[in-house]
Amino acid sequence: MASHIVGYPRMGPKRELKFALESFWDKKSSAEDLKKVAADLRSSIWKQMSAVGIKYIPSNTFSYYDQMLDTTSMLGAVPPRYGWSGGEIGFDTYFSMARGNASVPAMEMTKWFDTNYHFIVPELGPDVKFSYASHKAVDEFKEAKALGVNTVPVLIGPVSYLLLSKPAKGVEKIFSLLSLLPKILPVYKEVISELKAAGASWIQFDEPTLVLDLDSHQLEAFTTAYADLESTLSGLNVLIETYFADLTPESYKTLTGLKGVTAYGLDLVRGTQTIELVKKDFPKGKHLFAGVVDGRNIWANDLASSLSTLQALEAVVGKDNLVVSTSCSLLHTAVDLVNETKLDDEIKSWLAFAAQKVVEVNALAKALAGQKDEAFFSSNATAQASRKSSPRVTNEAVQKAAAALKGSDHRRATNVSARLDAQQKKLSLPILPTTTIGSFPQTVELRKVRREFKANKISEDDYVKAMKEEIKKVVDLQEQLEIDVLVHGEPERNDMVEYFGEQLSGFAFTVNGWVQSYGSRCVKPPIIYGDVSRPKPMTVFWSSAAQSMTKRPMKGMLTGPVTILNWSFVRNDQPRFETCYQIALAIKDEVEDLEKASINVIQIDEAALREGLPLRKSEHAFYLKWAVHSFRITNCGVKDTTQIHTHMCYSNFNDIIHSIIDMDADVITIENSRSDEKLLSVFREGVKYGAGIGPGVYDIHSPRIPSTEEIADRINKMLAVLETNILWVNPDCGLKTRKYDEVKPALNNMVAAAKQLRTKLASAK
């Protein structure tokens, strides 16, 4: 029985690629140094999977930034502003598209389906001249082959690539991206031909858009594309991989009817209903790559249950046609549990990271083939039973409090217009008030202090003193810049979710459980293993200290319940909404304690609310109902004079704007600049928004410093569709990933633009 891995984490067990990328970007190392680190990581991954016994090992799932950007490079679809003149795309052009440069902005970045991973959105139009401009897929296949590992090269499928793209600036929004299919298929044919010549016997096309709600025209594009590729693919075994949700019956029919396709990869963890489609009608002689090992969570697989599922599928598709696989790429989970030295043994026994999931896949394949490792299965069964019965998982008081939430929608008693009037009387803010989103640059020195405190190398008094000095520096800078509503800069926080999870019950933490979010940015998601509560205040001390340093309003900074949920590895033994309500109650306690400490502006970030939206429209309403309700729970008890902010970033918000309004926040700051200000189109189309709103005026994920004129132009576009008295001026997101020599001039220009427009508006009266 064969085994397969859809994809694998790229950063390395100790984030080796992250540090190599940042060293290269900072011009502290060469391109050759970066390439060597990458080659060593790839070699290690391929050899590891080969040693375990995986038959179908992927290549070309490694990336220096993002697999969609890699495909854009492969197709030579470089936007003209980057000045690429042809030939093989190098690092300069590649990273300029991803990060921008001194003269031009980066391409848009958005969430990869409903994950916390981000991809670079291709910008396409009728005039794009596609050409084979990156040989990465072939090079990496040859690289693995030279190491004695025969891999399955992986490409983003042509239809998914187009469906995930957007019309370039200046191209009609109604332009059909699928009309470009005949133009990109010749490049795919070149790549396929080179892979065949290099000795590939299998090829994997990732077509994850098949799990979305697609119309007949979109489904027909898959049929057209693979019919066109059929002759080129002749002689290759072709796997079409889908993941993250069920297939509709129509999509399943389209998938299984594609010409020249040998095998279908299905997510049977999040796509449980797809199993019924397989049982009802599976093409004779085709292979099923059954994704029974969860690629998006860190819980050990229930091997007995998965084996039972596989045996039922084996009876349908045939013994020789069933391949055991992961549900999706392991990119979305941590790398190796072996590196976790501080997790207690009980919780550790419940977990499996990417390296352990590879072993699980192979163990299931061997069991199906009659070579079951009884000791391994027995140990797994013991861990499953331990997790179900452990007293540390359940807190009856928390469960009762969450159950009592039913029956109320937890809205504030006064409408937002009246609240804004009361808040203005208290805060006395100018029109177009300026603020930032929360974090300020995390310097090497700051990280060192946090690291030394965690390692007990410095005392708590020394740590607090250092943090207060950093907060004072950030407060003084904001006062010098004349920002209106200040933040304390979050020097005590390495990560916005991890920080809160460390102080809530029901959470566990890893040392090296890093997961790539985008580029070199990694996050270390907490593990929610049990019922959640707040033992004591979490942020009041720091916010109070910061407020004592200034007479300007100081925002209390919290992460919202939906974002904590969506950016954690969540327990899978109860519905997600129940866990979210528990977190909401914990955050509610914190909000009310901040208010008692005279913090009059409190930001509750819900950066990941849109990210968690189910991929199928039929499931949207239920998710949005409990997600929005969870946010309202956190602040339903505060006074009218307490201003509640929230923040959202890097997703497409237009389709949930009414749910955002229903959150009933006083002010929302929201990503806008990197997505070509498409958020503003909602308001142009007539959506009325009465609360405060701050669409971001510049992209903080790029080192580029926008001019005062550029920011003023952005604000003017906002004023064309939004009332002056509700508009705020702020960056797209927090500033922790930037350097001070980038932050200071950018914020200075932002404040100057706001002042310039205040003067203009005042003179126009």
Side-chain angles (χ1 to χ4, degrees):
M1 188 62 61
S3 51
H4 166 252
I5 304 298
V6 176
Y8 202 80
R10 308 157 181 158
M11 284 290 119
K14 300 287 180 68
R15 295 181 291 163
E16 292 88 344
L17 182 61
K18 168 191 170 66
F19 299 122
L21 282 166
E22 291 173 355
S23 177
F24 173 71
W25 292 336
D26 290 341
K27 296 182 168 52
K28 294 177 180 176
S29 61
S30 68
E32 293 310 310
D33 293 332
L34 175 57
K35 289 176 182 177
K36 184 179 186 309
V37 171
D40 289 346
L41 285 170
R42 288 193 296 268
S43 171
S44 173
I45 291 165
W46 291 328
K47 288 177 179 178
Q48 174 194 349
M49 288 196 224
S50 182
V52 168
I54 300 298
K55 181 176 180 180
Y56 300 113
I57 297 171
S59 61
N60 199 41
T61 59
F62 179 90
S63 179
Y64 287 105
Y65 209 92
D66 158 53
Q67 73 270 24
M68 283 289 286
L69 183 60
D70 293 347
T71 310
T72 293
S73 298
M74 181 186 85
L75 295 169
V78 181
R81 65 181 177 274
Y82 298 108
W84 176 67
S85 56
E88 188 80 4
I89 289 175
F91 281 159
D92 282 352
T93 301
Y94 182 87
F95 288 127
S96 290
M97 289 191 286
R99 307 177 70 237
N101 58 42
S103 58
V104 291
M107 295 168 71
E108 180 184 352
M109 181 169 68
T110 196
K111 296 293 175 72
W112 180 247
F113 294 82
D114 58 348
T115 74
N116 187 31
Y117 178 75
H118 302 66
F119 74 97
I120 303 298
V121 182
E123 302 172 10
L124 305 178
D127 299 328
V128 176
K129 302 287 189 267
F130 296 99
S131 63
Y132 187 11
S134 170
H135 293 67
K136 176 178 174 294
V138 178
D139 291 344
E140 289 187 13
F141 174 80
K142 290 178 178 178
E143 183 184 325
K145 193 174 181 182
L147 295 169
V149 182
N150 194 28
T151 60
V152 179
V154 179
L155 301 175
I156 297 290
V159 183
S160 288
Y161 177 78
L162 292 176
L163 290 176
L164 294 169
S165 300
K166 70 173 186 178
K169 203 165 188 176
V171 175
E172 290 285 338
K173 298 302 179 188
I174 59 170
F175 172 71
S176 171
L177 293 161
L178 289 176
S179 70
L180 297 174
L181 198 54
K183 294 186 177 182
I184 69 170
L185 289 179
V187 180
Y188 274 88
K189 289 176 183 178
E190 288 187 71
V191 179
I192 293 163
S193 296
E194 284 197 8
L195 287 168
K196 282 168 69 173
S201 57
W202 278 82
I203 186 168
Q204 175 180 319
F205 292 99
D206 281 9
E207 293 282 14
T209 55
L210 274 165
V211 305
L212 303 177
D213 293 307
L214 302 178
D215 60 33
S216 58
H217 173 66
Q218 292 167 325
L219 289 173
E220 182 61 31
F222 289 94
T223 303
T224 301
Y226 288 94
D228 194 329
L229 293 173
E230 184 180 13
S231 60
T232 311
L233 289 167
S234 177
L236 280 173
N237 292 292
V238 179
L239 165 63
I240 306 294
E241 187 67 50
T242 70
Y243 36 77
F244 298 151
D246 278 305
L247 293 170
T248 63
E250 294 78 15
S251 293
Y252 180 77
K253 184 178 179 181
T254 297
L255 172 65
T256 54
L258 295 179
K259 290 185 177 180
V261 173
T262 315
Y264 317 107
L266 303 176
D267 182 340
L268 302 181
V269 176
R270 289 181 174 239
T272 53
Q273 299 306 309
T274 302
I275 294 176
E276 299 309 313
L277 295 173
V278 172
K279 290 178 179 177
K280 185 177 177 182
D281 182 23
F282 191 80
K284 192 172 181 180
K286 301 293 185 181
H287 291 70
L288 172 62
F289 281 55
V292 294
V293 173
D294 192 353
R296 286 186 58 176
N297 217 325
I298 42 65
W299 303 109
N301 188 273
D302 185 338
L303 295 178
S305 175
S306 291
L307 184 58
S308 177
T309 298
L310 290 164
Q311 288 167 338
L313 290 169
E314 185 181 56
V316 176
V317 306
K319 190 177 186 69
D320 295 334
N321 294 329
L322 185 63
V323 177
V324 183
S325 184
T326 53
S327 64
C328 62
S329 173
L330 297 175
L331 172 70
H332 309 289
T333 191
V335 179
D336 196 341
L337 197 55
V338 168
N339 297 315
E340 298 309 321
T341 55
K342 295 187 178 179
L343 279 172
D344 70 65
D345 289 342
E346 182 181 36
I347 290 179
K348 200 170 181 178
S349 74
W350 302 343
L351 307 178
F353 291 179
Q356 288 69 47
K357 289 176 186 292
V358 170
V359 173
E360 289 178 338
V361 166
N362 199 57
L364 286 165
K366 290 176 74 175
L368 264 182
Q371 302 166 35
K372 185 177 179 184
D373 184 336
E374 295 292 351
F376 188 69
F377 270 71
S378 176
S379 173
N380 176 266
T382 300
Q384 297 291 326
S386 159
R387 187 175 163 216
K388 287 175 183 173
S389 61
S390 175
R392 68 198 302 178
V393 170
T394 306
N395 182 325
E396 287 187 19
V398 170
Q399 292 194 349
K400 283 180 182 176
L405 294 171
K406 293 169 185 173
S408 170
D409 63 4
H410 296 90
R411 291 184 185 276
R412 292 170 77 178
T414 312
N415 68 42
V416 68
S417 177
R419 298 198 309 262
L420 289 174
D421 287 344
Q423 291 155 16
Q424 179 59 18
K425 286 175 185 172
K426 185 158 192 168
L427 300 172
S428 298
L429 297 173
I431 60 167
L432 305 181
T434 54
T435 190
T436 66
I437 304 305
S439 60
F440 265 65
Q442 300 258 321
T443 62
V444 172
E445 296 77 17
L446 180 58
R447 293 177 190 275
K448 181 184 177 186
V449 170
R450 281 203 309 261
R451 198 164 54 246
E452 289 182 342
F453 178 59
K454 280 197 169 187
N456 295 316
K457 291 182 179 178
I458 60 172
S459 69
E460 184 172 1
D461 286 347
D462 288 341
Y463 171 74
V464 170
K465 181 184 176 188
M467 292 300 107
K468 284 186 173 181
E469 286 173 356
E470 183 69 19
I471 291 169
K472 184 71 166 67
K473 182 175 83 172
V474 169
V475 170
D476 288 349
L477 172 61
Q478 292 172 94
E479 290 199 320
Q480 289 164 20
L481 292 167
E482 298 187 352
I483 290 173
D484 300 304
V485 176
L486 310 190
V487 298
H488 76 288
E490 303 176 9
E492 78 283 11
R493 308 177 194 182
N494 177 61
D495 176 85
M496 61 189 284
V497 173
E498 182 182 7
Y499 175 80
F500 289 98
E502 284 177 335
Q503 300 181 78
L504 296 169
S505 64
F507 283 75
F509 293 87
T510 63
V511 175
N512 287 298
W514 298 99
V515 179
Q516 185 182 17
S517 178
Y518 62 86
S520 68
R521 168 84 170 131
C522 298
V523 293
K524 196 164 50 165
I527 298 165
I528 306 177
Y529 67 83
D531 291 333
V532 178
S533 62
R534 186 198 73 148
K536 62 182 181 181
M538 302 179 286
T539 66
V540 176
F541 175 80
W542 300 114
S543 291
S544 297
Q547 184 63 82
S548 72
M549 299 173 187
T550 180
K551 292 182 179 178
R552 296 177 185 238
M554 174 65 62
K555 283 197 279 191
M557 300 300 304
L558 306 176
T559 302
V562 185
T563 296
I564 290 176
L565 183 87
N566 286 335
W567 286 358
S568 298
F569 290 125
V570 184
R571 58 190 294 190
N572 57 1
D573 59 346
Q574 71 176 15
R576 288 172 71 87
F577 71 85
E578 290 186 12
T579 303
C580 198
Y581 284 155
Q582 293 177 0
I583 302 170
L585 287 171
I587 300 300
K588 181 176 186 288
D589 290 343
E590 187 72 11
V591 168
E592 291 171 3
D593 280 347
L594 282 168
E595 185 181 60
K596 288 172 189 170
S598 300
I599 303 299
N600 297 315
V601 182
I602 302 170
Q603 182 170 307
I604 308 166
D605 285 347
E606 283 296 13
L609 187 139
R610 172 61 175 79
E611 172 188 311
L613 190 70
L615 300 178
R616 306 299 287 282
K617 290 176 183 174
S618 60
E619 299 169 17
H620 286 189
F622 178 67
Y623 167 78
L624 289 168
K625 182 179 179 181
W626 63 256
V628 170
H629 187 193
S630 295
F631 176 82
R632 288 201 306 262
I633 287 167
T634 65
N635 60 87
C636 63
V638 300
K639 302 171 192 170
D640 286 357
T641 50
T642 298
Q643 190 167 83
I644 299 296
H645 289 223
T646 191
H647 171 67
M648 295 181 175
C649 56
Y650 297 101
S651 286
N652 180 9
F653 300 105
N654 295 23
D655 55 350
I656 63 162
I657 190 67
H658 293 290
S659 294
I660 292 173
I661 293 169
D662 198 37
M663 291 170 72
D664 200 27
D666 297 310
V667 178
I668 179 170
T669 52
I670 196 163
E671 184 272 328
N672 171 66
S673 66
R674 188 157 178 172
S675 58
D676 292 333
E677 299 159 348
K678 65 185 175 189
L679 171 72
L680 300 184
S681 66
V682 169
F683 305 110
R684 291 190 194 102
E685 291 160 9
V687 170
K688 299 299 180 187
Y689 194 78
I693 184 166
V697 296
Y698 78 91
D699 174 24
I700 63 85
H701 289 96
S702 170
R704 182 174 168 273
I705 298 163
S707 67
T708 299
E709 293 72 25
E710 180 183 331
I711 294 174
D713 181 59
R714 280 218 166 96
I715 298 170
N716 273 320
K717 288 179 181 176
M718 297 170 192
L719 288 169
V721 293
L722 293 165
E723 296 294 329
T724 307
N725 64 334
I726 65 169
L727 186 62
W728 285 64
V729 177
N730 47 263
D732 265 348
C733 205
L735 304 169
K736 69 186 293 182
T737 60
R738 300 268 55 88
K739 298 181 176 67
Y740 271 104
D741 60 4
E742 298 160 346
V743 165
K744 289 177 183 178
L747 290 180
N748 185 67
N749 292 349
M750 183 187 83
V751 173
K755 287 181 176 180
Q756 186 182 104
L757 287 166
R758 285 174 197 159
T759 302
K760 183 179 175 183
L761 289 166
S763 64
K765 284 184 178 178

